[in-house]
């Protein structure tokens, strides 16, 4: 958000999951980039490695969760993470 804007964080219990939502009023993600944001080494930053979201997604999925991102260029981005409340038995 380049130092300005609003970041809203919400938590909620949904069925057997906890849902954490992050919504910002930043510039959003370009439509062409949205399909690639979880790819390792994909970045739009000059000094980025492109590993942050790829690793985040992998960790969430290892815990049997999901991550979704919805973004409207010029209007902001919403990230929704869902994690199970209960551990699955092995």
């Amino acid at each position: 958000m380049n130092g300005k804007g609003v970041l809203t964080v919400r938590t909620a219990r949904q069925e057997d999951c906890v849902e954490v939502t992050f919504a910002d009023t930043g510039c959003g993600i370009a439509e062409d980039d949205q399909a690639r944001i979880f790819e390792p080494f994909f970045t739009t930053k000059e000094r980025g490695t492109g590993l942050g979201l790829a690793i985040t997604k992998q960790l969430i999925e290892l815990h049997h969760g999901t991550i979704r991102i919805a973004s409207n260029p010029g209007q902001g981005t919403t990230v929704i993470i869902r994690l199970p409340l209960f551990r699955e038995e092995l």
Side-chain angles (χ1 to χ4, degrees):
M1 290 189 297
N2 295 325
K4 36 186 154 167
V6 176
L7 173 65
T8 303
V9 181
R10 292 187 188 98
T11 59
R13 183 174 176 163
Q14 301 289 334
E15 301 149 11
D16 58 349
C17 294
V18 64
E19 186 173 273
V20 183
T21 303
F22 303 88
D24 72 37
T25 59
C27 62
I29 301 168
E31 287 186 39
D32 292 343
D33 296 339
Q34 289 183 32
R36 301 187 62 206
I37 58 175
F38 293 114
E39 289 179 16
F41 306 108
F42 174 76
T43 185
T44 59
K45 296 180 181 179
E46 194 173 302
R47 298 183 65 200
T49 62
L51 291 174
L53 284 175
I55 291 170
T56 298
K57 182 176 187 217
Q58 183 179 27
L59 288 171
I60 290 168
E61 289 176 347
L62 285 170
H63 287 88
H64 306 284
T66 60
I67 182 170
R68 291 186 335 225
I69 295 183
S71 187
N72 293 313
Q75 296 180 4
T77 300
T78 300
V79 178
I80 301 169
I81 298 171
R82 291 183 68 147
L83 294 166
L85 286 171
F86 306 102
R87 186 174 85 168
E88 290 184 22
E89 294 301 320
L90 299 176

